[in-house]
RNA sequence: GCCCCCAUCGUCUAGAGGCCUAGGACACCGGCUUUUCAUGCCGGCGACCGGGGUUCGAAUCCCCGUGGGGGUGCCA
């Protein structure tokens, strides 16, 4: 049977956490494909593994897709004619399909325990042969299954894979042939009664009339299994397109465990250099000592993210972004992330890189998708975000900034619109919103929070017999008289001072900068002082002056 | 081990037998702009995995090798 009629594609994540960037790319390609060819894009939640489902994950997935602007036509929250869109709500469909296979002798009951299967696999491995589940000569009957159940044995259903070779056509990779007898009889219904992924996918894709399956290449080996099942069930076989994988820049798999890996390594380094003790680490993380020990020793364990975040901050390492939400918190623009991710494994040709959504849709095609796995180059993402931020309209930028500030809990979320716009404007050239915060955040915080950088104080203020301090002292009364308090006015004061004293701009601007920001980094000095306000500026200059002769700013 | 996929600058890629002296972007290096940090602008470095074929001609087609990756679950 072949597909005819409308184009329908789906993104089918399991609700086990935030949306991974790899998943986002898969969703994006499905969405682009549908938009380009007039298809319907479906979101289906694959929650057949009851144990792994995480409360609230579905909503997070939906939020992240929304944030990216990847909107679906049918899904669990928006409904649609072929729902429900959660597999956990479609049990009757799977049950009916299994009954059919069982009745037709295309699937059979099996009663092996996990231990027995494990032993079989191990012995096969020991004999250096590949393990394939041995299909019984006669399939167990319903009565056998009932008896096994009564005896407390696990009862699963396996699909009897036809003993024939199969060629699957992939829209990206071309024909892929699998030899006869290479596939084993896979479990399609677990002992808890729920279908496995393979089975649920096949049943749902058919019932939801999915015409094109665009999914990650890690699913390529699953495709022949699915096609055999589609044939056995009399379903149409959709078209397949397996997308190249996305890896970290070092070629490793992008996994949420990377976050723990990076922080774990940093903590271990601290322990090795005796900068921290294990107790310090546990205290910083606010975790129990045993939990810390386990986390340090075992790469496959996780502390909660709050603990990891505290450790990372204390150790001064940056946690790598893996989930879409991580990028959101880091202050990226969704349109930049989308554009960047689209370019991993796909090319619009003609040396084009920065594309609007509409341009991407217009340029999208399966032919433009590569076969080669790609790497996620954060540097390039950063550059792209910088480009997008520089090109965004003030209104769009302010909106995105507000979203970031509120989601990340930044103190900058309390800025009024005009001030936020001004802050964004004077930070022009920033890479992410996080950069904006690190550049101007201190101007909106309490005076006591200004942390004077020792090197900067030495170099800019104390050096040359306290030349910088002297500048501050002389400038303060002049600034006090300045009215109105504008960037131009401040600049004028500085220029006038320079002309009069023969000082260079840097000799004046830098002391002021360090006095109000604690560091030699801030927006243009006039803008910086205006954002701070006149009172704040004078107050901070006064506080800074107390640093002279080794004084303290503490009041 | 077995099965499958892949192979152009460090990275993402353009390239569908002559247009290739292999193009673009990021990174990197150098310079310019500049009151700091960035941004911006200009320039430079830099790749067809190896070996055999096919062809007048191969980055492009075929074979072998090598390398990388995926799969081999009652996870998806």
């Amino acid at each position: 049977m072949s597909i005819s009629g409308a184009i329908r594609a789906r993104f089918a994540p399991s609700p086990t956490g935030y949306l991974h960037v790899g998943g986002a790319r898969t969703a994006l390609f499905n969405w682009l494909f549908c938009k380009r060819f007039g298809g319907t894009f479906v979101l289906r939640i694959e929650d057949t593994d009851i144990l792994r489902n995480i409360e609230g994950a579905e909503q997070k997935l939906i939020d992240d897709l929304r944030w990216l602007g990847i909107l679906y036509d049918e899904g669990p929250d928006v409904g649609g004619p072929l729902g429900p869109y959660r597999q956990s709500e479609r049990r009757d469909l799977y049950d009916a399909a299994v009954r059919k296979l069982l009745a037709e002798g295309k699937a059979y009951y099996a009663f092996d325990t996990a231990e027995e299967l494990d032993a079989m696999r191990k012995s096969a491995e020991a004999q250096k042969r590949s393990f394939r589940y041995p299909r019984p000569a006669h399939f167990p009957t319903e009565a056998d299954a009932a008896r096994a159940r009564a005896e407390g044995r696990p009862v699963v259903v396996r699909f009897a894979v036809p003993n024939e070779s199969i060629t699957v056509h992939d829209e990206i990779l071309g024909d892929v042939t699998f030899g006869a007898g290479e596939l084993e009889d896979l479990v399609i219904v677990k002992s808890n009664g729920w279908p496995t992924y393979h089975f649920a996918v096949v049943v749902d894709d058919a019932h939801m009339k999915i015409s094109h399956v665009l999914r990650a290449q890690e699913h390529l080996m699953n495709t022949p299994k699915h096609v055999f099942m589609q044939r056995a069930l009399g379903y149409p076989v959709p078209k397949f397109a397996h997308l190249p994988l996305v890896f970290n820049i070092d070629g490793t798999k992008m996994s949420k465990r990377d976050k723990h890996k990076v922080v774990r390594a940093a903590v271990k380094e601290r322990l090795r250099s005796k900068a921290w003790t294990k107790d310090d680490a546990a205290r910083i993380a606010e975790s129990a000592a045993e939990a810390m020990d386990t986390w340090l020793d075992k790469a496959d364990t996780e502390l909660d993210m709050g603990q990891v975040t505290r450790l990372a901050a204390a150790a001064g390492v940056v946690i790598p972004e893996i989930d879409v939400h991580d990028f959101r918190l880091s202050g990226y623009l969704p349109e930049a992330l989308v554009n960047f991710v689209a370019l991993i494994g796909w090319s619009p040709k003609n040396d084009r890189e920065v594309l609007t959504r509409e341009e991407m849709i217009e340029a999208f095609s399966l032919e433009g998708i590569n076969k080669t796995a790609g790497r996620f180059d954060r540097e390039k993402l950063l550059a792209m975000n910088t480009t997008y931020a520089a090109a965004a309209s003030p209104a769009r930028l302010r909106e995105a900034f507000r979203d970031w500030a509120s989601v990340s809990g930044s103190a900058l979320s309390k800025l009024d619109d005009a001030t936020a716009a001004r802050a964004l404007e004077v930070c022009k050239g920033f890479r992410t919103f996080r950069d904006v915060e690190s550049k101007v955040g201190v101007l909106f915080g309490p005076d006591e929070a200004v942390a004077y950088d020792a090197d900067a104080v030495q170099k800019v203020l104390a050096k040359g017999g306290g030349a910088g301090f002297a500048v501050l002292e002389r400038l303060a009364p002049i600034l006090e008289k300045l009215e109105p308090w504008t960037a131009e006015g401040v600049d004028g004061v500085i220029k006038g001072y320079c002309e009069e004293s023969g000082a260079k701009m840097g000799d004046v601007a830098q002391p002021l900068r360090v006095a109000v920001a604690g560091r030699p980094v801030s927006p243009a000095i006039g803008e910086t002082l205006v954002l701070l306000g006149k009172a704040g500026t004078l107050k901070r200059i006064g506080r800074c002056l107390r640093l002279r002769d080794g004084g303290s700013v503490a009041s």
Side-chain angles (χ1 to χ4, degrees), chain A residues 310-324:
Chain A
R310 284 190 287 277
L311 285 169
V317 292
V318 179
I319 301 176
E321 298 95 351
I322 301 294
D323 297 320
V324 167

Side-chain angles (χ1 to χ4, degrees), chain A residues 239-271:
Chain A
K239 294 210 188 284
F240 293 98
H242 288 90
L243 312 172
L245 269 14
V246 181
F247 294 100
N248 281 316
I249 198 72
D250 64 1
T252 57
K253 205 167 180 174
M254 276 184 103
S255 147
K256 64 175 178 173
R257 290 196 177 143
D258 293 352
K259 301 182 199 176
H260 296 262
K261 197 166 99 187
V262 166
V263 179
R264 185 183 285 116
V267 172
K268 281 187 171 172
E269 182 47 42
R270 294 283 161 137
L271 296 177

Side-chain angles (χ1 to χ4, degrees), chain A residues 297-344:
Chain A
D297 289 344
K298 297 200 176 135
D300 60 348
T301 58
E302 298 179 3
L303 290 174
D304 76 50
M305 277 319 288
Q307 298 175 323
V308 174
T309 305
R310 284 190 287 277
L311 285 169
V317 292
V318 179
I319 301 176
E321 298 95 351
I322 301 294
D323 297 320
V324 167
H325 191 70
D326 299 330
F327 291 96
R328 189 176 184 182
L329 290 179
S330 286
Y332 286 88
L333 257 10
E335 48 271 49
L337 220 211
V338 162
N339 193 155
F340 172 74
V341 155
L343 259 21
I344 306 178

Side-chain angles (χ1 to χ4, degrees), chain A residues 327-484:
Chain A
F327 291 96
R328 189 176 184 182
L329 290 179
S330 286
Y332 286 88
L333 257 10
E335 48 271 49
L337 220 211
V338 162
N339 193 155
F340 172 74
V341 155
L343 259 21
I344 306 178
W346 173 71
S347 168
K349 319 282 174 169
N350 300 329
D351 293 338
R352 287 196 297 166
E353 293 215 322
V354 177
L355 308 172
T356 64
R357 256 166 229 280
E358 291 65 35
E359 288 169 332
M360 276 190 254
I361 291 167
E362 195 246 341
F364 194 78
S365 75
L366 260 23
E367 292 74 50
I369 298 178
N370 289 316
K371 301 175 175 183
T372 333
R375 300 185 189 211
F376 195 98
D377 186 346
R378 288 158 201 286
E379 295 293 340
K380 185 152 180 168
L381 201 214
L382 225 26
M384 184 156 286
N385 200 68
T386 306
T387 302
Y388 267 88
S393 72
R396 167 59 192 141
L397 211 51
R398 206 168 57 235
E399 173 192 42
F401 179 72
R402 283 231 174 278
D403 171 76
W404 166 78
S406 80
V407 169
S408 69
S410 166
L412 262 27
S413 62
K414 60 183 197 298
L415 299 187
D416 59 67
D417 271 355
T419 310
R422 194 82 201 123
L424 255 6
E425 174 66 21
V426 302
C427 285
K428 222 157 40 178
F430 66 87
R431 288 145 77 87
T432 65
F433 289 136
R434 205 114 97 173
D435 291 350
V436 173
E437 180 177 54
S438 72
K439 203 163 181 179
V440 302
V442 68
L443 302 177
F444 301 109
D447 299 331
E448 303 77 48
V450 178
Y452 287 95
D453 177 80
D455 289 345
V457 169
Q458 171 58 32
K459 184 176 172 211
V460 176
L461 297 169
K463 207 172 64 181
F469 284 120
V471 169
L472 290 182
E473 203 156 44
R474 276 183 281 171
L475 228 35
I478 308 177
L479 286 171
E480 194 166 2
K481 280 187 224 112
L482 177 63
E483 200 64 54

